[in-house]
Amino acid sequence: MSPRHPSSAKPKPAKSPTPRPRDVKPRRIGIYGGTFDPIHYGHLLLAESARQQMDLDEVIFVPAGIPPHKRDWVLAPDKDRVHMLELAIRGNPHFRVERFEIDSPKVSYTVHTVEYLKEQNPDAQFFLLLGEDMLRNFPNWFQPERICELAPPLVIGRAGREIQDLDFLWTVASPERIEEIRRSRVHMIQVAFSSSEIRQCIAEGRSIRYQTPRDVIDYIYRKKLYHPE
């Protein structure tokens, strides 16, 4: 049988164009570091205020291992601080605990934590949750420029009060980044909870009821944390 003439061949159906992936909105993640010794309602309110106002998908609590500003500080055992955090955030799908600093034998520097989290989630958009009282000292942190690049601060301050002069940040952040920090201020109602006050109350035999979740209180007394020797 002779081959069919090319002109008589049926044209192949055109291929459908490959569908373009939909634009995926990057996840917005807040990083909240501290000793959490112990965690209290002020910490939780700060994290939730930032999550709601800044539309964060997740807030990661990062308990410090060896904080550079508290190297001589006697902290509760790492495993106890982590467990109290887990008890406090249990039931909130937007909160989780990261053990990176706890598991590191080195001094805990925020920039290393931010770099680690960025490596784990390269497409996510990170923010560093920072109390307004800590912002003034931020330029003295280790590699603050790098932190601003990877996770610009979300400044949490008292509701009804605006951020004042931020010119002191010009050495570590661009004018555009400084303006972003100014616009991204998180407002939080004023509360007076304090980890040091909780520890002192326990040492003196006073109640810590309504300062931290009930499960955390039960754990503290069961483990005899912060009690005088």
Side-chain angles (χ1 to χ4, degrees), residues 55-222:
D55 194 25
L56 301 179
D57 297 290
E58 184 179 44
V59 175
I60 302 176
F61 290 75
V62 185
I66 307 173
H69 59 297
K70 297 180 179 179
R71 298 190 193 196
D72 299 326
W73 196 290
V74 179
L75 300 172
D78 294 347
K79 63 181 179 60
D80 291 321
R81 289 188 291 123
V82 168
H83 195 64
M84 287 188 286
L85 265 172
E86 292 172 340
L87 289 172
I89 68 174
R90 185 168 56 184
N92 189 330
H94 302 288
F95 289 175
R96 75 173 176 89
V97 179
E98 170 57 56
R99 294 182 53 97
F100 175 73
E101 294 188 7
I102 287 287
D103 292 338
S104 174
K106 301 178 181 179
V107 173
S108 302
Y109 287 108
T110 300
V111 66
H112 296 151
T113 303
V114 171
E115 289 176 337
Y116 167 77
L117 291 172
K118 187 65 176 176
E119 288 177 0
Q120 301 301 308
N121 304 270
D123 297 327
Q125 189 175 6
F126 286 95
F127 303 90
L128 180 67
L129 275 56
L130 201 62
E132 194 170 24
D133 57 335
M134 299 181 66
L135 183 63
R136 179 67 62 172
N137 191 48
F138 179 70
N140 298 322
W141 289 22
F142 183 60
Q143 296 186 6
E145 302 89 347
R146 180 68 171 158
I147 298 174
C148 278
E149 176 188 343
L150 297 177
L154 282 184
V155 182
I156 293 86
R158 185 182 305 174
R161 189 174 68 184
E162 297 302 321
I163 294 181
Q164 301 302 314
D165 178 31
L166 292 180
D167 289 346
F168 64 90
L169 292 176
W170 72 268
T171 58
V172 301
S174 67
E176 293 77 18
R177 185 66 87 192
I178 292 174
E179 183 58 29
E180 179 184 345
I181 293 170
R182 189 191 309 277
R183 292 196 312 267
S184 302
R185 185 182 190 277
V186 174
H187 297 270
M188 172 181 159
I189 61 173
Q190 186 71 10
V191 294
F193 297 114
S194 161
S195 293
S196 59
E197 176 67 20
I198 290 175
R199 295 194 301 268
Q200 185 174 348
C201 284
I202 295 171
E204 296 175 355
R206 293 186 282 130
S207 172
I208 59 170
R209 195 175 186 182
Y210 306 125
Q211 297 187 59
T212 189
R214 181 76 238 185
D215 287 346
V216 175
I217 295 175
D218 291 343
Y219 185 87
I220 287 173
Y221 284 104
R222 187 167 67 251

